[in-house]
Amino acid sequence: MEFVSTRNKNETVTASEGILKGLADNSGLYVPKEIPKLDIGMDKLSKMSYQDVAYEVMKLYYTDFTEEELRNCINNAYDSKFDTKEIAPIKESDGAFFLELFHGKTIAFKDMALSILPHLMITSARKNNVSNDIVILTATSGDTGKAALAGFADVKGTKIVVFYPDGGVSRIQELQMITTKGDNTKVVGIDGNFDEAQTGVKKMFTDADLNERIGKMGYQFSSANSINIGRLIPQVAYYVYAYAKMVDRNEISNGDLINVCVPTGNFGNILAAFYAKNMGVPIAKLICASNENKVLYDFFKTGVYDKNREFVLTNSPSMDILISSNLERLIHLSCGMDSDKNSKLMNELITTGKYEITDDMKSRLNDFYGDFATEEETCNTIRELYNKTGYIIDTHTAVAKCVYDKYVKATGDTTKTVIASTASPFKFTRSVMSAIDSKYDSWDDFDLVDELSSLGKVPVPGAIEEIREANILHDTKCKVNEMEEAVVEFLK
């Protein structure tokens, strides 16, 4: 399997090379030259553990890893760090199937890929005789940051710098990041939003002078964002696993179609579902759920991607994104993997803030359905689901549930649907509890945690308990144009 840049058909890498590099030249993203088909039947997959399903998926992409290397990475990732043996359990509630992707160390779906990325990266470094230390640069809208920090903290031969929008994440998310231990970790709050943080990180990757400068210091950059194929491919595994478990539980018969609904910001999570569909998983519709930053909804409706709009801070902050980086991979596919055409569109986005795809390209996106949920609708969904079933979901999952309900009402399609539940409600306790009852508005954050535990009849996750009394270890703030110097100072 070779991976090719979305912006240069002549730039190809192996899996290990792509994992190490993160971003392709000219800000391109690596994509597989073709999406491979599963070579094992769903009847066998349905009886496998999460770890074995993950191997059957990843082996088809990471073909320059030996079986021993890949299984070692998988087994080191999906172990007792997760609070359930299933790794990604499925809970049925109100007619939908919630794929709980938040049972890892930082209680968000990013753990599913970021638990394995350090192991893939260190293995890749050994395979490619890399002598430099690897510096992970990451921009986060809230969840990627802590999951990456947890994965890379104290990993020999690596350093990690995480940038987040100061004031643009929940207090729990911020505390999880700024209390992180590890001499190789650095957390920086920027005076800007996530898109500005992400653009700043991409700029550093492609800055030849900066890369030469840190190279002389014994370092090289890599990425832990979902632009890295070491992040994207592990996400494909849990959609294959979800279908297999639905078969195993007799919720569906092997071959029955399901829909998948994903709360979407940077587009990596729903793109992974698209890859799973193209590998042979019987997925019908991919329901793309947006919050009030509905750039993706507008795109699927009109074929015009336009980031020139007000940036809205919502109660689902991990989706507060106007530049959905992974959409480029879908655009690249929709134009027949024509890197020149794709580059032209991406340059238009840089220069004008928007681009428009052709009718032919739009016709290739019929698998997708887009809609959005307002703040009020998100809160109503949390409250109504709790009052009806007792099941409590976070704000991002509520966006997906709301959009799923809109989809059913608009289309009449009652196909069984898996909703990606991307974060624990404990990660957004204030927003969740205020949605359930306004009497909680004035409560202390950690009193809300205990009340949520009582109402939901679920224990407080360890990720929350450990930050109750934790010391703040990272207090660096900077402007967007100071991000580069913050990195260099840390490396010094």
Side-chain angles (χ1 to χ4, degrees):
M1 171 66 73
E2 282 190 320
F3 291 81
V4 62
S5 168
T6 54
R7 302 192 190 183
N8 180 1
K9 65 183 178 183
N10 296 316
E11 183 187 348
T12 60
V13 292
T14 64
S16 62
E17 289 169 342
I19 289 167
L20 279 175
K21 197 169 180 184
L23 194 67
D25 294 341
N26 196 28
S27 296
L29 307 184
Y30 290 120
V31 292
K33 278 196 169 181
E34 60 180 0
I35 298 175
K37 297 294 183 184
L38 288 166
D39 60 2
I40 185 169
M42 198 60 69
D43 52 339
K44 291 184 179 179
L45 288 167
S46 68
K47 303 302 179 186
M48 289 183 178
S49 66
Y50 186 87
Q51 292 85 345
D52 286 337
V53 172
Y55 174 74
E56 294 299 333
V57 172
M58 293 186 209
K59 74 175 187 182
L60 301 173
Y61 293 92
Y62 301 152
T63 54
D64 60 333
F65 285 66
T66 66
E67 178 174 352
E68 181 183 6
E69 287 171 336
L70 189 51
R71 285 195 181 275
N72 185 54
C73 290
I74 290 168
N75 292 334
N76 281 325
Y78 306 114
D79 58 8
S80 58
K81 290 190 291 295
F82 287 79
D83 63 20
T84 171
K85 186 179 178 182
E86 294 173 279
I87 307 298
I90 299 173
K91 302 287 179 66
E92 184 179 4
S93 184
D94 195 31
F97 296 85
F98 292 84
L99 177 62
E100 293 187 344
L101 300 172
F102 53 75
H103 289 275
K105 192 169 182 179
T106 71
I107 58 176
F109 84 100
K110 306 297 175 70
D111 288 323
M112 299 297 295
L114 280 163
S115 293
I116 192 171
L117 182 60
H119 303 289
L120 292 173
M121 199 162 276
I122 294 302
T123 304
S124 295
R126 286 200 301 265
K127 294 176 81 65
N128 290 277
N129 300 312
V130 171
S131 57
N132 286 341
D133 280 4
I134 298 165
V135 180
I136 304 299
L137 288 187
T138 294
T140 185
S141 55
D143 288 339
T144 290
K146 177 56 183 178
L149 289 161
F152 282 93
D154 292 322
V155 172
K156 189 177 180 182
T158 70
K159 290 184 182 293
I160 177 167
V161 185
V162 170
F163 293 96
Y164 73 96
D166 187 24
V169 299
S170 79
R171 182 57 177 163
I172 295 292
Q173 285 178 310
E174 183 175 44
L175 283 171
Q176 282 189 296
M177 288 189 283
I178 64 178
T179 59
T180 298
K181 297 177 182 177
D183 292 338
N184 66 333
T185 65
K186 180 72 173 177
V187 181
V188 183
I190 70 157
D191 182 19
N193 60 40
F194 168 74
D195 287 326
E196 290 171 309
Q198 182 167 248
T199 299
V201 165
K202 284 185 176 181
K203 184 179 177 183
M204 283 187 272
F205 273 113
T206 56
D207 185 327
D209 291 338
L210 176 62
N211 279 267
E212 182 180 356
R213 186 178 175 190
I214 69 155
K216 291 177 179 177
M217 298 165 68
Y219 299 110
Q220 67 184 62
F221 288 142
S222 192
S223 167
N225 280 78
S226 55
I227 55 176
N228 192 314
I229 56 168
R231 276 279 308 278
L232 178 64
I233 303 307
Q235 292 179 268
V236 179
Y238 51 70
Y239 291 110
V240 178
Y241 178 78
Y243 188 92
K245 289 299 115 177
M246 292 277 282
V247 170
D248 187 48
R249 287 168 39 168
N250 295 315
E251 298 290 355
I252 55 175
S253 297
N254 188 3
D256 287 351
L257 290 169
I258 64 168
N259 293 332
V260 173
C261 182
V262 186
T264 308
N266 217 20
F267 208 77
N269 203 2
I270 195 166
L271 182 71
F274 177 77
Y275 274 39
K277 174 183 171 77
N278 283 273
M279 291 182 75
V281 178
I283 296 171
K285 279 292 180 184
L286 296 157
I287 303 169
C288 179
S290 301
N291 64 16
E292 289 186 12
N293 291 292
K294 56 187 182 70
V295 63
L296 288 167
Y297 162 70
D298 292 335
F299 168 71
F300 283 116
K301 187 177 180 181
T302 66
V304 177
Y305 192 95
D306 187 352
K307 76 177 186 71
N308 299 315
R309 62 185 69 205
E310 180 186 0
F311 182 88
V312 184
L313 290 173
T314 73
N315 61 11
S316 48
S318 299
M319 299 161 65
D320 290 347
I321 294 171
L322 295 181
I323 303 174
S324 302
S325 288
N326 277 288
L327 183 64
E328 179 175 345
R329 287 183 160 115
L330 184 65
I331 298 301
H332 182 252
L333 275 172
S334 73
C335 63
M337 299 187 75
D338 185 330
S339 58
D340 292 335
K341 185 180 288 187
N342 178 73
S343 293
K344 183 175 181 293
L345 292 171
M346 295 307 121
N347 286 332
E348 286 178 18
L349 183 64
I350 293 168
T351 56
T352 70
K354 65 180 181 179
Y355 61 80
E356 182 173 5
I357 63 174
T358 64
D359 288 342
D360 181 54
M361 291 170 66
K362 193 176 178 184
S363 70
R364 299 182 191 182
L365 305 181
N366 288 334
D367 291 340
F368 290 87
Y369 170 93
D371 211 328
F372 73 100
T374 65
E375 293 285 271
E376 182 180 6
E377 288 172 330
T378 301
C379 292
N380 289 344
T381 299
I382 293 170
R383 182 173 59 256
E384 290 166 6
L385 185 63
Y386 169 69
N387 289 337
K388 188 174 182 179
T389 69
Y391 187 56
I392 301 177
I393 56 177
D394 90 293
T395 47
H396 303 75
T397 308
V399 168
K401 176 62 164 67
C402 178
V403 167
Y404 165 66
D405 290 340
K406 288 183 178 183
Y407 170 79
V408 173
K409 187 175 181 179
T411 64
D413 181 6
T414 56
T415 299
K416 288 187 176 179
T417 297
V418 170
I419 294 177
S421 185
T422 53
S424 165
F426 286 96
K427 196 139 192 169
F428 303 93
T429 315
R430 181 164 297 284
S431 294
V432 169
M433 295 301 288
S434 292
I436 290 173
D437 195 319
S438 61
K439 73 179 183 182
Y440 295 119
D441 290 355
S442 61
W443 283 36
D444 172 80
D445 280 302
F446 287 102
D447 289 339
L448 289 174
V449 164
D450 295 328
E451 182 75 355
L452 173 56
S453 175
S454 175
L455 288 183
K457 298 180 175 57
V458 289
V460 177
I464 300 297
E465 290 290 8
E466 70 184 23
I467 63 172
R468 281 187 193 262
E469 306 297 333
N471 294 322
I472 292 174
L473 303 176
H474 304 271
D475 57 5
T476 302
K477 311 286 185 183
C478 79
K479 292 182 168 56
V480 173
N481 62 4
E482 297 170 341
M483 290 171 62
E484 178 182 321
E485 205 49 44
V487 171
V488 173
E489 283 300 312
F490 174 58
L491 297 182
K492 284 180 180 177

